[in-house]
Amino acid sequence: MSGGRVQKSGGKAAKILYQPFGIVGSIVGGIVAGQVFKQVYKRVAPGHPDDAPTPLQSEYRLREILLASLIQGAIFSVTKALVQRGGARAFEKLTGDWPGD
């Protein structure tokens, strides 16, 4: 152990078996992250339409587009990490093998 971290290592078979779980987790995580972003954006930018501005919508200032992109990126990144980590832990409980490393 270094720095309080426990190194877990799974075999090649665990990585292969985990792939379908990872794919399903990614799809679910993307859907959840999209819904969370919509709710957060409604609160951060009241009075705006339900959908955040995209880079090609000329009626929005660059600052608004960058803020929406920053919030969306952070939410998607955190959601992805949570889903991947949770999926890996569930896989480990089911199989006894860690799917990463």
Side-chain angles (χ1 to χ4, degrees):
M1 269 185 2
S2 64
R5 292 181 14 194
V6 175
Q7 180 118 11
K8 298 179 180 184
S9 182
K12 191 173 185 176
K15 290 178 185 180
I16 292 170
L17 289 173
Y18 178 72
Q19 285 181 346
F21 291 98
I23 291 169
V24 170
S26 293
I27 292 168
V28 171
I31 292 168
V32 170
Q35 294 302 313
V36 169
F37 172 67
K38 282 185 178 186
Q39 295 303 314
V40 169
Y41 188 74
K42 281 183 195 177
R43 286 167 179 75
V44 170
H48 276 266
D50 288 341
D51 293 330
T54 63
L56 297 180
Q57 290 178 303
S58 62
E59 64 270 20
Y60 293 101
R61 294 174 36 200
L62 180 60
R63 183 171 48 173
E64 293 173 289
I65 292 168
L66 294 178
L67 177 62
S69 295
L70 177 69
I71 294 167
Q72 186 177 36
I75 289 171
F76 272 81
S77 181
V78 169
T79 302
K80 179 181 176 185
L82 288 171
V83 167
Q84 285 181 340
R85 188 61 169 211
R89 286 189 178 193
F91 183 84
E92 182 184 35
K93 283 184 180 183
L94 288 172
T95 66
D97 289 325
W98 185 255
D101 299 330

